[in-house]
Short mmCIF file of all heavy atoms in Angstrom, two decimals:
data_model
loop_
_atom_site.label_atom_id
_atom_site.label_comp_id
_atom_site.label_asym_id
_atom_site.label_seq_id
_atom_site.Cartn_x
_atom_site.Cartn_y
_atom_site.Cartn_z
N SER L 1 0.79 -1.23 0.00
CA SER L 1 0.00 0.00 0.00
C SER L 1 0.83 1.29 0.00
O SER L 1 0.32 2.35 -0.29
CB SER L 1 -0.93 0.01 1.22
OG SER L 1 -0.16 -0.11 2.39
N ARG L 2 2.11 1.17 0.31
CA ARG L 2 2.91 2.40 0.44
C ARG L 2 4.23 2.30 -0.31
O ARG L 2 4.80 1.22 -0.45
CB ARG L 2 3.23 2.66 1.92
CG ARG L 2 2.02 2.98 2.79
CD ARG L 2 2.42 2.96 4.27
NE ARG L 2 3.08 1.70 4.62
CZ ARG L 2 3.89 1.55 5.67
NH1 ARG L 2 4.17 2.56 6.46
NH2 ARG L 2 4.43 0.36 5.93
N ILE L 3 4.71 3.46 -0.74
CA ILE L 3 6.06 3.57 -1.27
C ILE L 3 6.92 4.05 -0.10
O ILE L 3 6.68 5.12 0.45
CB ILE L 3 6.09 4.53 -2.48
CG1 ILE L 3 5.38 3.85 -3.65
CG2 ILE L 3 7.51 4.93 -2.83
CD1 ILE L 3 5.15 4.68 -4.88
N LEU L 4 7.86 3.21 0.32
CA LEU L 4 8.59 3.47 1.56
C LEU L 4 9.86 4.30 1.36
O LEU L 4 10.20 5.12 2.20
CB LEU L 4 8.95 2.14 2.25
CG LEU L 4 7.76 1.23 2.58
CD1 LEU L 4 8.25 -0.09 3.16
CD2 LEU L 4 6.81 1.91 3.56
N ALA L 5 10.58 4.06 0.27
CA ALA L 5 11.83 4.79 0.06
C ALA L 5 12.33 4.60 -1.36
O ALA L 5 12.04 3.58 -2.01
CB ALA L 5 12.90 4.29 1.03
N MET L 6 13.08 5.59 -1.83
CA MET L 6 13.76 5.45 -3.11
C MET L 6 15.04 6.25 -3.09
O MET L 6 15.05 7.41 -2.67
CB MET L 6 12.87 5.94 -4.26
CG MET L 6 13.55 5.82 -5.60
SD MET L 6 12.38 6.02 -6.94
CE MET L 6 12.69 7.72 -7.38
N GLU L 7 16.12 5.62 -3.51
CA GLU L 7 17.42 6.30 -3.61
C GLU L 7 18.02 5.96 -4.96
O GLU L 7 18.01 4.80 -5.36
CB GLU L 7 18.37 5.80 -2.51
CG GLU L 7 18.17 6.46 -1.16
CD GLU L 7 18.56 7.93 -1.16
OE1 GLU L 7 19.64 8.27 -1.69
OE2 GLU L 7 17.79 8.74 -0.61
N SER L 8 18.54 6.97 -5.66
CA SER L 8 19.12 6.74 -6.99
C SER L 8 20.43 7.48 -7.16
O SER L 8 20.67 8.48 -6.48
CB SER L 8 18.15 7.22 -8.08
OG SER L 8 16.91 6.57 -7.96
N SER L 9 21.24 6.99 -8.07
CA SER L 9 22.46 7.71 -8.45
C SER L 9 22.65 7.55 -9.95
O SER L 9 22.63 6.45 -10.47
CB SER L 9 23.67 7.12 -7.70
OG SER L 9 24.86 7.70 -8.19
N MET L 10 22.81 8.68 -10.63
CA MET L 10 22.92 8.66 -12.08
C MET L 10 24.37 8.88 -12.50
O MET L 10 25.04 9.77 -11.99
CB MET L 10 22.04 9.76 -12.68
CG MET L 10 22.00 9.77 -14.19
SD MET L 10 20.84 11.06 -14.73
CE MET L 10 20.96 10.89 -16.51
N TYR L 11 24.82 8.03 -13.41
CA TYR L 11 26.16 8.19 -13.96
C TYR L 11 26.12 9.27 -15.04
O TYR L 11 25.34 9.16 -15.98
CB TYR L 11 26.65 6.86 -14.54
CG TYR L 11 27.80 6.98 -15.50
CD1 TYR L 11 29.08 7.33 -15.05
CD2 TYR L 11 27.62 6.78 -16.87
CE1 TYR L 11 30.14 7.47 -15.93
CE2 TYR L 11 28.69 6.90 -17.76
CZ TYR L 11 29.94 7.25 -17.27
OH TYR L 11 30.98 7.38 -18.15
N ARG L 12 26.94 10.31 -14.88
CA ARG L 12 26.98 11.38 -15.87
C ARG L 12 28.39 11.45 -16.47
O ARG L 12 29.32 11.87 -15.79
CB ARG L 12 26.64 12.73 -15.23
CG ARG L 12 25.21 12.80 -14.75
CD ARG L 12 24.94 14.09 -13.99
NE ARG L 12 23.61 14.05 -13.39
CZ ARG L 12 22.50 14.41 -14.02
NH1 ARG L 12 22.55 14.83 -15.27
NH2 ARG L 12 21.33 14.35 -13.40
N PRO L 13 28.52 11.04 -17.73
CA PRO L 13 29.86 11.08 -18.34
C PRO L 13 30.37 12.53 -18.44
O PRO L 13 29.58 13.44 -18.68
CB PRO L 13 29.63 10.49 -19.73
CG PRO L 13 28.17 10.57 -19.98
CD PRO L 13 27.49 10.58 -18.65
N LYS L 14 31.67 12.71 -18.23
CA LYS L 14 32.23 14.06 -18.31
C LYS L 14 32.19 14.57 -19.75
O LYS L 14 31.95 15.73 -20.01
CB LYS L 14 33.65 14.08 -17.76
CG LYS L 14 33.66 13.90 -16.25
CD LYS L 14 35.06 13.86 -15.66
CE LYS L 14 35.02 13.55 -14.17
NZ LYS L 14 34.33 12.26 -13.87
N THR L 15 32.44 13.66 -20.68
CA THR L 15 32.36 14.04 -22.09
C THR L 15 31.70 12.91 -22.85
O THR L 15 31.75 11.75 -22.44
CB THR L 15 33.78 14.23 -22.70
OG1 THR L 15 34.52 13.02 -22.48
CG2 THR L 15 34.51 15.38 -22.06
N GLY L 16 31.08 13.25 -23.98
CA GLY L 16 30.52 12.22 -24.85
C GLY L 16 29.33 11.50 -24.24
O GLY L 16 28.70 11.97 -23.30
N GLY L 17 29.04 10.32 -24.78
CA GLY L 17 27.86 9.55 -24.35
C GLY L 17 28.22 8.56 -23.26
O GLY L 17 29.28 8.64 -22.65
N ILE L 18 27.31 7.63 -23.02
CA ILE L 18 27.53 6.62 -21.98
C ILE L 18 28.45 5.53 -22.50
O ILE L 18 28.18 4.93 -23.53
CB ILE L 18 26.20 5.94 -21.58
CG1 ILE L 18 25.29 6.96 -20.91
CG2 ILE L 18 26.45 4.78 -20.63
CD1 ILE L 18 24.02 6.33 -20.36
N ARG L 19 29.55 5.28 -21.77
CA ARG L 19 30.33 4.08 -22.07
C ARG L 19 29.86 3.01 -21.10
O ARG L 19 29.95 3.21 -19.89
CB ARG L 19 31.82 4.36 -21.86
CG ARG L 19 32.37 5.36 -22.87
CD ARG L 19 33.88 5.54 -22.68
NE ARG L 19 34.33 6.75 -23.36
CZ ARG L 19 34.24 7.98 -22.83
NH1 ARG L 19 33.72 8.15 -21.63
NH2 ARG L 19 34.66 9.02 -23.51
N PRO L 20 29.36 1.89 -21.62
CA PRO L 20 28.75 0.88 -20.73
C PRO L 20 29.64 0.47 -19.55
O PRO L 20 29.14 0.36 -18.43
CB PRO L 20 28.49 -0.29 -21.67
CG PRO L 20 28.27 0.35 -23.00
CD PRO L 20 29.19 1.54 -23.04
N LEU L 21 30.93 0.31 -19.78
CA LEU L 21 31.81 -0.13 -18.68
C LEU L 21 31.95 0.94 -17.61
O LEU L 21 31.99 0.64 -16.42
CB LEU L 21 33.18 -0.57 -19.20
CG LEU L 21 33.17 -1.96 -19.87
CD1 LEU L 21 34.51 -2.24 -20.53
CD2 LEU L 21 32.84 -3.05 -18.86
N ASP L 22 32.01 2.20 -18.03
CA ASP L 22 32.11 3.29 -17.06
C ASP L 22 30.85 3.37 -16.20
O ASP L 22 30.92 3.59 -14.99
CB ASP L 22 32.33 4.63 -17.77
CG ASP L 22 33.69 4.71 -18.46
OD1 ASP L 22 34.49 3.78 -18.27
OD2 ASP L 22 33.93 5.68 -19.19
N ALA L 23 29.70 3.16 -16.83
CA ALA L 23 28.43 3.17 -16.09
C ALA L 23 28.43 2.04 -15.05
O ALA L 23 28.04 2.23 -13.90
CB ALA L 23 27.25 3.03 -17.04
N ALA L 24 28.93 0.87 -15.46
CA ALA L 24 28.96 -0.28 -14.56
C ALA L 24 29.91 -0.04 -13.38
O ALA L 24 29.60 -0.40 -12.24
CB ALA L 24 29.37 -1.53 -15.33
N VAL L 25 31.04 0.59 -13.64
CA VAL L 25 31.98 0.92 -12.56
C VAL L 25 31.31 1.88 -11.57
O VAL L 25 31.37 1.69 -10.36
CB VAL L 25 33.29 1.53 -13.14
CG1 VAL L 25 34.14 2.13 -12.02
CG2 VAL L 25 34.08 0.46 -13.89
N HIS L 26 30.64 2.89 -12.11
CA HIS L 26 29.89 3.83 -11.25
C HIS L 26 28.89 3.07 -10.39
O HIS L 26 28.80 3.26 -9.18
CB HIS L 26 29.18 4.88 -12.11
CG HIS L 26 28.07 5.61 -11.39
ND1 HIS L 26 26.75 5.21 -11.47
CD2 HIS L 26 28.08 6.69 -10.57
CE1 HIS L 26 26.01 6.01 -10.73
NE2 HIS L 26 26.80 6.92 -10.17
N HIS L 27 28.12 2.17 -11.01
CA HIS L 27 27.10 1.42 -10.28
C HIS L 27 27.72 0.60 -9.15
O HIS L 27 27.22 0.58 -8.04
CB HIS L 27 26.31 0.51 -11.23
CG HIS L 27 25.48 1.25 -12.23
ND1 HIS L 27 25.38 2.62 -12.25
CD2 HIS L 27 24.70 0.80 -13.26
CE1 HIS L 27 24.58 2.98 -13.24
NE2 HIS L 27 24.16 1.90 -13.86
N SER L 28 28.82 -0.09 -9.48
CA SER L 28 29.42 -0.96 -8.45
C SER L 28 30.01 -0.13 -7.31
O SER L 28 30.03 -0.58 -6.17
CB SER L 28 30.48 -1.88 -9.07
OG SER L 28 31.48 -1.12 -9.68
N GLU L 29 30.44 1.10 -7.60
CA GLU L 29 30.98 1.96 -6.54
C GLU L 29 29.91 2.50 -5.60
O GLU L 29 30.16 2.70 -4.42
CB GLU L 29 31.75 3.15 -7.16
CG GLU L 29 33.14 2.74 -7.66
CD GLU L 29 33.78 3.82 -8.54
OE1 GLU L 29 33.15 4.87 -8.79
OE2 GLU L 29 34.92 3.57 -8.99
N VAL L 30 28.70 2.77 -6.14
CA VAL L 30 27.68 3.45 -5.30
C VAL L 30 26.54 2.55 -4.84
O VAL L 30 25.75 2.96 -3.98
CB VAL L 30 27.08 4.69 -6.02
CG1 VAL L 30 28.17 5.69 -6.38
CG2 VAL L 30 26.29 4.28 -7.26
N ILE L 31 26.44 1.33 -5.38
CA ILE L 31 25.24 0.51 -5.11
C ILE L 31 25.03 0.22 -3.62
O ILE L 31 23.90 0.29 -3.13
CB ILE L 31 25.23 -0.78 -5.97
CG1 ILE L 31 23.84 -1.44 -5.91
CG2 ILE L 31 26.34 -1.76 -5.57
CD1 ILE L 31 23.58 -2.44 -7.03
N ASP L 32 26.11 -0.05 -2.88
CA ASP L 32 25.97 -0.33 -1.44
C ASP L 32 25.37 0.87 -0.71
O ASP L 32 24.47 0.73 0.11
CB ASP L 32 27.33 -0.67 -0.82
CG ASP L 32 27.85 -2.02 -1.31
OD1 ASP L 32 27.10 -2.71 -2.02
OD2 ASP L 32 29.00 -2.37 -0.98
N THR L 33 25.90 2.04 -1.03
CA THR L 33 25.41 3.29 -0.41
C THR L 33 23.96 3.53 -0.75
O THR L 33 23.15 3.90 0.11
CB THR L 33 26.26 4.49 -0.90
OG1 THR L 33 27.63 4.11 -0.88
CG2 THR L 33 26.05 5.71 -0.04
N VAL L 34 23.60 3.34 -2.02
CA VAL L 34 22.23 3.56 -2.48
C VAL L 34 21.26 2.64 -1.73
O VAL L 34 20.22 3.07 -1.24
CB VAL L 34 22.14 3.36 -4.02
CG1 VAL L 34 20.70 3.22 -4.49
CG2 VAL L 34 22.81 4.52 -4.76
#
């Protein structure tokens, strides 16, 4: 019945588009905290 919590972190490339491996590295670094 309720939405209890939501935490997100978005990978933002410094230049260019998303490189899949860089996004994955970002995810693995922040997932525990999220």
Side-chain angles (χ1 to χ4, degrees):
S1 58
R2 294 169 307 158
I3 289 173
L4 302 176
M6 179 166 100
E7 278 292 314
S8 303
S9 173
M10 184 176 180
Y11 162 70
R12 294 174 187 274
K14 289 178 185 57
T15 55
I18 294 186
R19 294 184 196 83
L21 284 172
D22 293 353
V25 168
H26 162 266
H27 294 357
S28 59
E29 282 167 359
V30 302
I31 193 162
D32 291 354
T33 316
V34 165

